Amino acid sequence: MKYPLLLLLVVLAAGAWASPSEGRSAIEKEYAREADAASLHFARGMLSIRSADCQVFTPTGQRMNPDGDADRLRLLFRNALAVQEKVTIRSFHPTGPQAATCLIDDRIEVTKMTARGPRTMAVQSQSQDDWAETPLGWRQKAVHVLRQHVEILSTGQHR
């Protein structure tokens, strides 16, 4: 009698796992939620897509201290007239029944008023993001920044 019950539990658990397309769709929604939070200058909202134990690595492989992420974002958003973020998933690879890795391009544009008028700073980065399905939904477990570039755009110039 133990084995049919065990088999039933395995089948039920397997049915609860998301298909790769469902996982990708759920992760795309999380990135959209992050972009919405950015447009509201809401740092904590942007970071809410991360798990509590998420680790972030610089392009040189150095692990960043996540405790300062919200402060860094608030500083970036201070006095901002507008913030726009666009995340594009370049590739999606399931790495387990409830895990995946995404290669993404992320662009954040922050427009601030200067003595010369509004100026936009664009931060373009590419990262490999590791995700896991949790009771709270899909959450980032690790962010490996592969490259990052910052540029100041001309007045009124956006991409």
Side-chain angles (χ1 to χ4, degrees):
M1 190 66 162
K2 285 184 184 177
Y3 296 113
L5 180 58
L6 180 62
L7 180 60
L8 177 63
L9 289 174
V10 169
V11 169
L12 289 175
W17 292 337
S19 71
S21 62
E22 290 171 339
R24 181 180 178 129
S25 177
I27 290 170
E28 286 172 339
K29 288 177 184 171
E30 291 301 318
Y31 284 126
R33 197 165 62 82
E34 178 187 48
D36 288 344
S39 70
L40 297 171
H41 311 188
F42 183 35
R44 288 265 178 228
M46 289 183 70
L47 298 174
S48 71
I49 71 169
R50 295 181 180 173
S51 65
D53 61 346
C54 181
Q55 297 185 348
V56 179
F57 299 90
T58 68
T60 61
Q62 183 178 13
R63 188 164 62 98
M64 293 181 61
N65 180 352
D67 295 338
D69 286 350
D71 290 336
R72 283 188 285 277
L73 285 170
R74 278 193 285 277
L75 182 62
L76 180 66
F77 297 159
R78 189 181 346 192
N79 300 323
L81 301 173
V83 179
Q84 296 177 335
E85 181 181 27
K86 178 168 177 42
V87 177
T88 303
I89 297 177
R90 294 289 175 208
S91 66
F92 174 86
H93 301 285
T95 56
Q98 295 172 304
T101 295
C102 299
L103 177 66
I104 67 150
D105 289 334
D106 185 4
R107 183 178 180 88
I108 298 177
E109 292 186 358
V110 179
T111 303
K112 294 185 177 192
M113 184 58 72
T114 69
R116 295 180 171 172
R119 295 278 188 236
T120 300
M121 176 179 68
V123 180
Q124 177 74 41
S125 61
Q126 186 175 67
S127 64
Q128 175 186 307
D129 296 354
D130 299 331
W131 289 81
E133 191 173 16
T134 73
L136 298 174
W138 284 87
R139 294 292 179 263
Q140 286 177 329
K141 297 293 283 180
V143 176
H144 303 269
V145 178
L146 304 174
R147 61 183 135 274
Q148 193 168 56
H149 175 73
V150 178
E151 64 181 315
I152 305 299
L153 304 175
S154 300
T155 304
Q157 178 185 4
H158 296 273
R159 290 190 187 166

